[in-house]
Amino acid sequence: MRRAIFHLLAFAFSIALAGLLVEASIRGFDLFADQRAELEIADAAGTVLKERPQPLTVPHPYRAWADRTGRLEWFSPTHHARSPRQIRSVFGDSKPSPWASMNVKTNSHGYLSSIDDYRDVATESFVVGIFGGSVAAQVAVFAGDTLSKALEEAYPDLRGRIVILNFSSGGYRQPQQLYALTEALLLGIPIDLVLNIDGLNEVAFGFRNALNGYHPFIPEKSRYATAIVGGQGSLDLGSQKLVFSIMEEKERISELEALPVNQVLIRKSETLRAAVGVAIARARVRIHELEVQLDRRASEGEIGVETATLSARCDPETTCWSLVGGLWERSSILMRVLSESAGAEYVHVLQPNQYVEGSKRLNQQETDFAFSADSLFKRTVPPGYKLLRERGARLAAQGEKFVDMTDLFAEDRETIYIDDCCHYNARGYRALARAIATEVEIKTNALD
């Protein structure tokens, strides 16, 4: 009996010692750091120390979808350790600039900005509103300070008064910019200069929409459908299963975060934090995999969304491009009319893209990572941009300030493009911001 008790105590001691060694190793070598960081822990005052990750987008009543309020972007200090490749591709060996580091959070309007409510902007400010898709958003977020400085150099009376407001979001294309401007003016947000930076999303996603039978007037279908699948849409059985599985994984995360150990022992034991964090991290990976499957179903037209849609009947060579070009042109005309009615200058910029022939001699790095011969963009940009440049010239002839920036990087041999879609590094965004500033013509009364 004594021997049995001795062996039991020895076993218990061994387990305790092993646990202490594991605890010491985790603390000493900072093991499972990301997994331990998954837990949402509150201090004694109940202050949340770590934000719970949230979906990228939510449905929006006018713009189809918007970024979720409060969501932190990948270049925020919170996420630096998890996105080193992205950080390097945009900012090189340096960290995100002070300006970019200010604009890491989605505000109450659904846009990345350091200003939570645009209605709070001081009336004496000179407000520059930037509209468009992800490229426009990153001009605002990565190079807004460059744009401000360039405008101040051209117009010294604006020094210290310029405020950059981002009204752009990934995937947006006309008429979403038009809707965003309408919404801003209806809310009474002051804007003195409207910059509409677009082109790529219209020709790539608008054309794809039309080919799939949806008019380009309808927002980009995969993002639109994915944003509302959990709401009022009517889903097929396969999509319902995916949504249900996502809900199960989210419930599992909530249960793990609510474990009593989180409230009592978790503050003392890094081992327990790591164990629970690993389980939460696995659930998050599973959610991401399921959401990717759901998005793929949407992009391939397998998700049926019960909503009013305008069908498009077109052939790839003629009617489809007429739909895309006409919508883009009319949307720009209406944005100019709205801007002028609100006393704002309007400048329309056709953004550079690597698939426009002769627009840039890609270096080896760009050829390897920023060009795909069989992509949607390679198929749609050459004919689509030809159409937009022609229609843009027509807009300029009608008095619109239309600026064709497609050749901006034609003589640049350094790396600019960082993916096979359209995005630039910080150097590219700063160059685009400076180029736009040289094209802006601000009337005297706007400086007062």
Side-chain angles (χ1 to χ4, degrees), residues 288-331:
H288 175 72
E289 292 172 346
L290 292 167
E291 288 180 339
V292 167
Q293 293 180 45
L294 193 62
D295 186 68
R296 186 178 299 120
R297 291 182 67 87
S299 64
E300 294 173 354
E302 296 183 19
I303 288 184
V305 179
E306 187 179 329
T307 182
T309 57
L310 183 65
S311 63
R313 296 179 179 85
C314 62
D315 66 83
E317 300 300 327
T318 56
T319 323
C320 278
W321 287 121
S322 178
L323 291 170
V324 169
L327 181 66
W328 177 81
E329 183 178 6
R330 288 188 293 273
S331 295

Short mmCIF file of all heavy atoms in Angstrom, two decimals, residues 288-331:
data_model
loop_
_atom_site.label_atom_id
_atom_site.label_comp_id
_atom_site.label_asym_id
_atom_site.label_seq_id
_atom_site.Cartn_x
_atom_site.Cartn_y
_atom_site.Cartn_z
N HIS A 288 -11.50 30.37 -41.72
CA HIS A 288 -10.94 30.98 -42.93
C HIS A 288 -11.08 30.05 -44.13
O HIS A 288 -11.47 30.48 -45.22
CB HIS A 288 -9.46 31.30 -42.70
CG HIS A 288 -8.76 31.83 -43.93
ND1 HIS A 288 -8.98 33.09 -44.43
CD2 HIS A 288 -7.87 31.24 -44.77
CE1 HIS A 288 -8.27 33.26 -45.52
NE2 HIS A 288 -7.57 32.17 -45.75
N GLU A 289 -10.78 28.77 -43.95
CA GLU A 289 -10.90 27.80 -45.05
C GLU A 289 -12.34 27.72 -45.55
O GLU A 289 -12.59 27.67 -46.76
CB GLU A 289 -10.42 26.43 -44.58
CG GLU A 289 -8.92 26.37 -44.30
CD GLU A 289 -8.51 25.06 -43.66
OE1 GLU A 289 -9.42 24.32 -43.19
OE2 GLU A 289 -7.30 24.77 -43.60
N LEU A 290 -13.29 27.72 -44.62
CA LEU A 290 -14.70 27.64 -45.00
C LEU A 290 -15.15 28.90 -45.72
O LEU A 290 -15.92 28.85 -46.69
CB LEU A 290 -15.56 27.40 -43.75
CG LEU A 290 -15.39 26.04 -43.08
CD1 LEU A 290 -16.03 26.04 -41.70
CD2 LEU A 290 -16.02 24.94 -43.94
N GLU A 291 -14.68 30.08 -45.25
CA GLU A 291 -15.06 31.33 -45.89
C GLU A 291 -14.47 31.44 -47.29
O GLU A 291 -15.09 32.01 -48.19
CB GLU A 291 -14.62 32.51 -45.02
CG GLU A 291 -15.47 32.65 -43.75
CD GLU A 291 -15.05 33.82 -42.88
OE1 GLU A 291 -13.89 34.27 -43.01
OE2 GLU A 291 -15.87 34.27 -42.07
N VAL A 292 -13.26 30.89 -47.48
CA VAL A 292 -12.67 30.86 -48.82
C VAL A 292 -13.54 30.00 -49.75
O VAL A 292 -13.79 30.36 -50.90
CB VAL A 292 -11.23 30.31 -48.76
CG1 VAL A 292 -10.72 29.98 -50.16
CG2 VAL A 292 -10.31 31.32 -48.10
N GLN A 293 -14.01 28.85 -49.24
CA GLN A 293 -14.88 27.99 -50.05
C GLN A 293 -16.17 28.73 -50.39
O GLN A 293 -16.67 28.63 -51.52
CB GLN A 293 -15.21 26.71 -49.28
CG GLN A 293 -14.02 25.79 -49.07
CD GLN A 293 -14.42 24.54 -48.31
OE1 GLN A 293 -15.45 23.91 -48.60
NE2 GLN A 293 -13.62 24.18 -47.32
N LEU A 294 -16.72 29.45 -49.42
CA LEU A 294 -17.96 30.19 -49.65
C LEU A 294 -17.75 31.28 -50.68
O LEU A 294 -18.57 31.47 -51.59
CB LEU A 294 -18.44 30.78 -48.32
CG LEU A 294 -19.86 31.32 -48.26
CD1 LEU A 294 -20.88 30.22 -48.52
CD2 LEU A 294 -20.12 31.97 -46.90
N ASP A 295 -16.63 32.00 -50.57
CA ASP A 295 -16.33 33.05 -51.53
C ASP A 295 -16.13 32.47 -52.93
O ASP A 295 -16.54 33.06 -53.92
CB ASP A 295 -15.07 33.81 -51.09
CG ASP A 295 -14.80 35.01 -51.98
OD1 ASP A 295 -15.58 35.96 -51.93
OD2 ASP A 295 -13.80 34.98 -52.71
N ARG A 296 -15.50 31.29 -53.00
CA ARG A 296 -15.28 30.65 -54.29
C ARG A 296 -16.62 30.28 -54.94
O ARG A 296 -16.82 30.45 -56.14
CB ARG A 296 -14.40 29.42 -54.14
CG ARG A 296 -14.02 28.77 -55.48
CD ARG A 296 -13.11 27.57 -55.28
NE ARG A 296 -11.88 27.94 -54.62
CZ ARG A 296 -11.48 27.45 -53.45
NH1 ARG A 296 -12.24 26.59 -52.80
NH2 ARG A 296 -10.35 27.83 -52.93
N ARG A 297 -17.54 29.78 -54.13
CA ARG A 297 -18.87 29.44 -54.66
C ARG A 297 -19.54 30.70 -55.21
O ARG A 297 -20.19 30.66 -56.25
CB ARG A 297 -19.74 28.82 -53.57
CG ARG A 297 -19.31 27.44 -53.13
CD ARG A 297 -20.28 26.90 -52.07
NE ARG A 297 -21.59 26.64 -52.61
CZ ARG A 297 -21.96 25.51 -53.20
NH1 ARG A 297 -21.07 24.53 -53.33
NH2 ARG A 297 -23.18 25.34 -53.65
N ALA A 298 -19.36 31.82 -54.50
CA ALA A 298 -19.99 33.07 -54.95
C ALA A 298 -19.38 33.53 -56.27
O ALA A 298 -20.08 33.93 -57.19
CB ALA A 298 -19.83 34.15 -53.88
N SER A 299 -18.03 33.49 -56.35
CA SER A 299 -17.36 33.97 -57.57
C SER A 299 -17.66 33.09 -58.77
O SER A 299 -17.64 33.54 -59.92
CB SER A 299 -15.85 34.05 -57.34
OG SER A 299 -15.31 32.76 -57.10
N GLU A 300 -17.96 31.80 -58.52
CA GLU A 300 -18.27 30.89 -59.62
C GLU A 300 -19.77 30.81 -59.92
O GLU A 300 -20.21 30.01 -60.73
CB GLU A 300 -17.75 29.49 -59.27
CG GLU A 300 -16.21 29.44 -59.20
CD GLU A 300 -15.70 28.11 -58.69
OE1 GLU A 300 -16.55 27.27 -58.28
OE2 GLU A 300 -14.47 27.91 -58.69
N GLY A 301 -20.53 31.66 -59.23
CA GLY A 301 -21.96 31.75 -59.53
C GLY A 301 -22.81 30.66 -58.92
O GLY A 301 -23.95 30.45 -59.33
N GLU A 302 -22.28 29.95 -57.90
CA GLU A 302 -23.03 28.85 -57.31
C GLU A 302 -23.91 29.29 -56.16
O GLU A 302 -24.74 28.52 -55.67
CB GLU A 302 -22.06 27.76 -56.84
CG GLU A 302 -21.29 27.11 -57.98
CD GLU A 302 -20.39 25.99 -57.49
OE1 GLU A 302 -20.64 25.49 -56.38
OE2 GLU A 302 -19.45 25.64 -58.21
N ILE A 303 -23.72 30.51 -55.67
CA ILE A 303 -24.57 31.02 -54.60
C ILE A 303 -25.73 31.78 -55.21
O ILE A 303 -25.54 32.73 -55.97
CB ILE A 303 -23.79 31.94 -53.64
CG1 ILE A 303 -22.83 31.11 -52.79
CG2 ILE A 303 -24.74 32.71 -52.74
CD1 ILE A 303 -22.09 31.92 -51.76
N GLY A 304 -26.93 31.36 -54.89
CA GLY A 304 -28.11 32.06 -55.37
C GLY A 304 -28.57 33.05 -54.32
O GLY A 304 -28.92 32.66 -53.22
N VAL A 305 -28.54 34.33 -54.62
CA VAL A 305 -28.94 35.36 -53.67
C VAL A 305 -30.29 35.92 -54.08
O VAL A 305 -30.45 36.39 -55.20
CB VAL A 305 -27.89 36.48 -53.60
CG1 VAL A 305 -28.32 37.55 -52.62
CG2 VAL A 305 -26.53 35.91 -53.21
N GLU A 306 -31.22 35.86 -53.17
CA GLU A 306 -32.57 36.34 -53.46
C GLU A 306 -32.61 37.86 -53.31
O GLU A 306 -32.79 38.39 -52.23
CB GLU A 306 -33.57 35.69 -52.50
CG GLU A 306 -35.02 36.02 -52.84
CD GLU A 306 -35.98 35.33 -51.89
OE1 GLU A 306 -35.66 34.24 -51.41
OE2 GLU A 306 -37.05 35.91 -51.64
N THR A 307 -32.37 38.56 -54.39
CA THR A 307 -32.36 40.01 -54.39
C THR A 307 -32.68 40.50 -55.80
O THR A 307 -32.55 39.74 -56.75
CB THR A 307 -30.98 40.54 -53.93
OG1 THR A 307 -31.03 41.98 -53.91
CG2 THR A 307 -29.88 40.12 -54.87
N ALA A 308 -33.10 41.73 -55.89
CA ALA A 308 -33.42 42.27 -57.21
C ALA A 308 -32.13 42.47 -58.00
O ALA A 308 -31.22 43.16 -57.55
CB ALA A 308 -34.16 43.60 -57.06
N THR A 309 -32.04 41.87 -59.18
CA THR A 309 -30.86 42.03 -60.02
C THR A 309 -31.29 42.37 -61.44
O THR A 309 -32.35 41.94 -61.89
CB THR A 309 -30.02 40.74 -60.05
OG1 THR A 309 -30.83 39.66 -60.52
CG2 THR A 309 -29.46 40.41 -58.68
N LEU A 310 -30.44 43.14 -62.10
CA LEU A 310 -30.70 43.52 -63.48
C LEU A 310 -29.85 42.63 -64.37
O LEU A 310 -28.63 42.65 -64.31
CB LEU A 310 -30.32 45.00 -63.69
CG LEU A 310 -30.59 45.60 -65.06
CD1 LEU A 310 -32.10 45.63 -65.33
CD2 LEU A 310 -30.03 47.00 -65.13
N SER A 311 -30.49 41.83 -65.19
CA SER A 311 -29.75 40.88 -66.02
C SER A 311 -29.03 41.61 -67.16
O SER A 311 -29.42 42.69 -67.57
CB SER A 311 -30.69 39.83 -66.60
OG SER A 311 -31.64 40.43 -67.46
N ALA A 312 -27.97 40.99 -67.63
CA ALA A 312 -27.20 41.54 -68.74
C ALA A 312 -27.12 40.52 -69.85
O ALA A 312 -26.72 39.38 -69.62
CB ALA A 312 -25.80 41.93 -68.29
N ARG A 313 -27.54 40.90 -71.03
CA ARG A 313 -27.41 40.01 -72.19
C ARG A 313 -26.36 40.63 -73.11
O ARG A 313 -26.56 41.72 -73.64
CB ARG A 313 -28.75 39.89 -72.91
CG ARG A 313 -29.83 39.24 -72.05
CD ARG A 313 -31.15 39.16 -72.80
NE ARG A 313 -32.19 38.52 -72.01
CZ ARG A 313 -32.94 39.15 -71.13
NH1 ARG A 313 -32.77 40.44 -70.94
NH2 ARG A 313 -33.86 38.51 -70.44
N CYS A 314 -25.26 39.96 -73.25
CA CYS A 314 -24.18 40.58 -74.01
C CYS A 314 -23.26 39.52 -74.60
O CYS A 314 -23.24 38.37 -74.15
CB CYS A 314 -23.36 41.51 -73.12
SG CYS A 314 -22.55 40.68 -71.75
N ASP A 315 -22.52 39.93 -75.61
CA ASP A 315 -21.46 39.07 -76.13
C ASP A 315 -20.13 39.71 -75.73
O ASP A 315 -20.04 40.93 -75.57
CB ASP A 315 -21.56 38.93 -77.65
CG ASP A 315 -21.30 40.24 -78.36
OD1 ASP A 315 -20.12 40.58 -78.56
OD2 ASP A 315 -22.29 40.94 -78.68
N PRO A 316 -19.08 38.90 -75.54
CA PRO A 316 -17.82 39.40 -74.99
C PRO A 316 -17.16 40.50 -75.81
O PRO A 316 -16.42 41.31 -75.26
CB PRO A 316 -16.94 38.14 -74.96
CG PRO A 316 -17.90 37.00 -74.93
CD PRO A 316 -19.07 37.45 -75.75
N GLU A 317 -17.39 40.54 -77.09
CA GLU A 317 -16.66 41.47 -77.93
C GLU A 317 -17.30 42.85 -78.06
O GLU A 317 -16.61 43.83 -78.30
CB GLU A 317 -16.49 40.87 -79.34
CG GLU A 317 -15.74 39.55 -79.36
CD GLU A 317 -14.33 39.68 -78.78
OE1 GLU A 317 -13.71 40.75 -78.96
OE2 GLU A 317 -13.86 38.72 -78.15
N THR A 318 -18.61 42.93 -77.90
CA THR A 318 -19.27 44.21 -78.18
C THR A 318 -20.13 44.69 -77.02
O THR A 318 -19.77 45.63 -76.31
CB THR A 318 -20.14 44.10 -79.45
OG1 THR A 318 -21.07 43.01 -79.28
CG2 THR A 318 -19.27 43.82 -80.67
N THR A 319 -21.25 44.04 -76.81
CA THR A 319 -22.25 44.56 -75.87
C THR A 319 -21.74 44.65 -74.44
O THR A 319 -22.03 45.61 -73.72
CB THR A 319 -23.52 43.70 -75.90
OG1 THR A 319 -23.78 43.29 -77.22
CG2 THR A 319 -24.69 44.47 -75.33
N CYS A 320 -20.95 43.65 -74.00
CA CYS A 320 -20.43 43.67 -72.63
C CYS A 320 -19.61 44.94 -72.38
O CYS A 320 -19.79 45.61 -71.37
CB CYS A 320 -19.56 42.44 -72.37
SG CYS A 320 -20.48 40.95 -71.96
N TRP A 321 -18.72 45.26 -73.31
CA TRP A 321 -17.88 46.42 -73.13
C TRP A 321 -18.68 47.71 -73.21
O TRP A 321 -18.36 48.70 -72.52
CB TRP A 321 -16.76 46.43 -74.16
CG TRP A 321 -15.70 45.41 -73.87
CD1 TRP A 321 -15.30 44.39 -74.67
CD2 TRP A 321 -14.93 45.30 -72.67
NE1 TRP A 321 -14.33 43.64 -74.05
CE2 TRP A 321 -14.09 44.18 -72.81
CE3 TRP A 321 -14.88 46.03 -71.49
CZ2 TRP A 321 -13.19 43.79 -71.83
CZ3 TRP A 321 -14.00 45.63 -70.49
CH2 TRP A 321 -13.16 44.53 -70.67
N SER A 322 -19.73 47.72 -74.01
CA SER A 322 -20.59 48.90 -74.08
C SER A 322 -21.28 49.15 -72.75
O SER A 322 -21.40 50.29 -72.29
CB SER A 322 -21.62 48.73 -75.20
OG SER A 322 -22.49 49.83 -75.25
N LEU A 323 -21.72 48.07 -72.10
CA LEU A 323 -22.35 48.19 -70.78
C LEU A 323 -21.37 48.74 -69.76
O LEU A 323 -21.68 49.66 -68.99
CB LEU A 323 -22.87 46.83 -70.32
CG LEU A 323 -24.07 46.24 -71.08
CD1 LEU A 323 -24.30 44.79 -70.65
CD2 LEU A 323 -25.32 47.07 -70.83
N VAL A 324 -20.16 48.17 -69.74
CA VAL A 324 -19.14 48.59 -68.78
C VAL A 324 -18.75 50.05 -69.01
O VAL A 324 -18.73 50.86 -68.07
CB VAL A 324 -17.89 47.69 -68.89
CG1 VAL A 324 -16.73 48.26 -68.08
CG2 VAL A 324 -18.22 46.28 -68.40
N GLY A 325 -18.44 50.40 -70.25
CA GLY A 325 -18.00 51.76 -70.56
C GLY A 325 -19.08 52.80 -70.33
O GLY A 325 -18.80 53.88 -69.79
N GLY A 326 -20.30 52.48 -70.70
CA GLY A 326 -21.39 53.43 -70.51
C GLY A 326 -21.67 53.71 -69.05
O GLY A 326 -21.88 54.86 -68.66
N LEU A 327 -21.66 52.66 -68.23
CA LEU A 327 -21.91 52.83 -66.80
C LEU A 327 -20.81 53.67 -66.16
O LEU A 327 -21.08 54.58 -65.37
CB LEU A 327 -22.00 51.46 -66.12
CG LEU A 327 -22.28 51.46 -64.62
CD1 LEU A 327 -23.67 52.01 -64.33
CD2 LEU A 327 -22.14 50.05 -64.05
N TRP A 328 -19.56 53.38 -66.53
CA TRP A 328 -18.42 54.12 -65.98
C TRP A 328 -18.48 55.60 -66.37
O TRP A 328 -18.28 56.48 -65.53
CB TRP A 328 -17.14 53.47 -66.51
CG TRP A 328 -15.85 54.12 -66.13
CD1 TRP A 328 -15.17 53.99 -64.96
CD2 TRP A 328 -15.06 55.00 -66.95
NE1 TRP A 328 -14.00 54.71 -65.00
CE2 TRP A 328 -13.91 55.35 -66.21
CE3 TRP A 328 -15.21 55.50 -68.24
CZ2 TRP A 328 -12.92 56.18 -66.72
CZ3 TRP A 328 -14.23 56.34 -68.75
CH2 TRP A 328 -13.10 56.67 -67.99
N GLU A 329 -18.79 55.86 -67.62
CA GLU A 329 -18.84 57.23 -68.11
C GLU A 329 -19.96 58.03 -67.47
O GLU A 329 -19.76 59.15 -66.99
CB GLU A 329 -19.00 57.23 -69.63
CG GLU A 329 -18.99 58.62 -70.27
CD GLU A 329 -19.10 58.55 -71.78
OE1 GLU A 329 -19.31 57.45 -72.33
OE2 GLU A 329 -19.00 59.62 -72.42
N ARG A 330 -21.15 57.45 -67.42
CA ARG A 330 -22.30 58.17 -66.84
C ARG A 330 -22.12 58.39 -65.34
O ARG A 330 -22.51 59.43 -64.80
CB ARG A 330 -23.59 57.41 -67.13
CG ARG A 330 -24.04 57.49 -68.59
CD ARG A 330 -25.42 56.89 -68.79
NE ARG A 330 -25.41 55.45 -68.57
CZ ARG A 330 -25.13 54.54 -69.51
NH1 ARG A 330 -24.80 54.95 -70.73
NH2 ARG A 330 -25.18 53.25 -69.25
N SER A 331 -21.52 57.41 -64.67
CA SER A 331 -21.27 57.56 -63.23
C SER A 331 -20.32 58.73 -62.97
O SER A 331 -20.51 59.51 -62.02
CB SER A 331 -20.67 56.27 -62.65
OG SER A 331 -21.59 55.20 -62.72
#
